[in-house]
Amino acid sequence: MINTTEGEEREYLEQIKETLLLAIRRADDNVKQQSEELRQKKEYMYEHQSGMDEADKVAAGQSVNRMASTGESSVARKRKLMKLISSPYFGRIDFTTSKESTAIYIGIYTFFDDLQKVNLVYDWRAPISSMFYDFELGEAWYQTPSGKIQGEIALKRQYKIREGKMEFMIENAVNIHDEVLQQELSKSADDKMKNIVATIQRDQNAVIRNESASVMIIQGVAGSGKTSIALHRIAFLLYRFRDEIRSKDILILSPNKVFSDYISNVLPELGEEYIPQTGIEELATDLLESKYPFQTFFQQVAHLLEKSDAAYIERIRFKASFEFLGQLNRYLIHIENNYFTFTELRVGSTVIPFPFIQERFRAYHRIPLLKRFPEVTKDVQNHMRNQVQRKLTGHEKSKIGEAIPRMFKMRNVFDLYQDFYVWLGKQEMFRLMEGGMLEYADVFPLIYFTMRLEGFQSYDHVKHLLVDEMQDYTPVQYAVLSRLFTCKKTILGDVGQTVNPYSASSAEGIEEVFPQAEIVKLLRSYRSTYEITKFAQQISSNPDVIAMERHGTIPQVKGFSNNKEELEAISEILSTFKDSKYQSLGILCKTDEQAQYVFEVLKEKHPAHLLTADSTSFYEGVIITTAHLAKGLEFDEVIIPFASARNYHTAVDKSMLYIACTRAMHQLTLTFSGECTKFIN
């Protein structure tokens, strides 16, 4: 098989499709046959169950389970073959070693033809496929369990096959990905994040295929594809360690339900099953056992955007520091050493000396402090039983059981957490909200206290944790996560996209909690045009950002006399959008209230979706939401209304404006009434 010309390649594609169709028919026959055998087996069991002993029933049950499992495998294989029909492969390398020369076609899945007993398509995650991403023409190698295979890439091609038709073929470029990458990036966005297997870059491939890191921290600039890379990394690990880890063993800690929906397509596209996702607040509710109502992160940010409260900001800033985590730990040592009043215990005429009680308490130092009382109580009861040489009465047992906890100053975690601020001499740093609600900044410090003082059930069933938007978590939150999840972790985000600059974490800061972490920085921005990336840089400058050389319209900044004129102009932009080639447009406001207002004004003329903190799905078309909720999403076109000096002037406002601008792929428009925000020249 040589396939040197484009004509031969198109002919070969037809042959592959025919072979796939035959394989699908065989898979279909297998599914039908296994389904019929399973039905007959169940029928037989039902009809003969009265004559079967227990051993027969167990054996028959195991047989049914095996048949069902085989049937599920056949269905899964058929599903993959059906997907391959549309686009069997996207790349090819001709690899020559001292022994042979092989044309290796690379696709989303492996296609092994049972009749020819040959691999016609290799999974992009296979070791041999790594060369497609890591090498150009010339010397190349790949790693196998038995060692390194060295050789030479004589030819390299990339294809765009859609609906079974070859749209184009590119070969032997200096970097074969560039032209395809430009074509993919110039496409319009839709309602789901797509896989990027055809355009993975060398630096991205190194992150995806890293098997050794126990904690990998990916610091990626806006539009660097960090979330997509992290999901492809998960897909690779599931492929590489398929005997050790399954989809259900992974947990994604996602910023909100809309984002969860947006990324939900990537792993199924890569042939993996649904992966459990949760939010940090759902985790908090679970850990606090719903005992305390608390403010959400979204509500915290909304509060910061709507009013400038210096004391509130100071409380947030204080609790987001490493110094604060250190003080929590010092206080926990302090209460252990100082909050016990060890006295001798008299039960009737028997005296239990206080050194014995103190020694027993310290003997259980590995048990959380508030969980030691029952153990010490048992030891004291045993000690007394040995002294009096008889069984203790119920009254005696009760007296000991009541006396031991009373020796400790406080026995309620919440009381101890409040006392922590008294000990610090900073009582003003703890404030309950209306209705006894905890401020968001207090939620994880209280969880940390609960874990240290009462213990916790770790999430041992999770074998890999993926944490997105890492910059929005504080050191205390990472301290909680590191104790809860002892598994390997992939942590990703961008310090330039924090929605709350008063509680942001950097990659280096997170490394203090996870000193064994490997940090990778992704500096190339792929999402936005060169012009949009440069425009966003004036709001929040990062000299290391490498803008993709994909050019487009210069961002527009338009001033108006009042909000009415401003919204009329936005309405005109929406009318133009309807007739454009684009599929998604985001109107990104600073606050929820503003988003609601814009939606009410525009909805009569223009069909649109309003996304709020309660939304669960992402849609195509026109989306009206806040910059906070749009984080992680992307749109063909973005409009940012009310970009005035009055509306955007604080540090939080600046972060929101930067996030909003960097959501745009092709076009960006900012409108304002009065004076434009100082964050834009």
Side-chain angles (χ1 to χ4, degrees), residues 114-158:
D114 296 330
L115 296 180
Q116 300 178 60
K117 301 295 180 195
V118 65
N119 241 359
L120 296 176
V121 179
Y122 288 84
D123 191 299
W124 66 278
R125 298 167 288 187
I128 200 167
S129 303
S130 64
M131 294 188 293
F132 177 77
Y133 302 108
D134 291 339
F135 298 100
E136 300 307 323
L137 302 185
E139 286 185 18
W141 55 269
Y142 67 97
Q143 196 72 41
T144 71
S146 56
K148 188 185 283 190
I149 307 294
Q150 290 185 302
E152 189 172 295
I153 295 176
L155 179 140
K156 190 172 180 183
R157 281 182 180 159
Q158 198 151 355

Side-chain angles (χ1 to χ4, degrees), residues 135-137 156 170-178 202:
F135 298 100
E136 300 307 323
L137 302 185
K156 190 172 180 183
I170 301 170
E171 76 171 294
N172 295 2
V174 175
N175 186 342
I176 201 162
H177 293 293
D178 282 353
R202 186 176 300 174

Side-chain angles (χ1 to χ4, degrees), residues 664-675:
M665 293 172 66
H666 308 295
Q667 274 183 241
L668 173 64
T669 305
L670 292 88
T671 65
F672 67 94
S673 303
E675 186 187 345

Side-chain angles (χ1 to χ4, degrees), residues 428-440:
E428 75 281 2
M429 284 295 160
F430 180 73
R431 290 284 179 274
L432 284 175
M433 302 178 75
E434 196 176 324
M437 184 182 282
L438 285 170
E439 288 184 347
Y440 183 72

Side-chain angles (χ1 to χ4, degrees), residues 641-657:
F642 317 128
S644 65
R646 192 183 63 218
N647 195 33
Y648 285 96
H649 60 278
T650 68
V652 187
D653 297 342
K654 184 179 179 181
S655 294
M656 289 300 173
L657 193 61

Side-chain angles (χ1 to χ4, degrees), residues 338-346 352-354 357-358 373 376 380 400 402-411:
N338 298 282
Y339 278 26
F340 281 95
T341 309
F342 291 112
T343 56
E344 65 178 30
L345 178 57
R346 287 183 174 273
I352 295 96
F354 82 85
I357 301 171
Q358 185 179 43
F373 301 127
V376 175
V380 170
I400 294 168
E402 289 165 10
I404 298 297
R406 277 205 302 268
M407 292 181 183
F408 189 58
K409 185 177 176 181
M410 297 176 194
R411 298 189 296 282

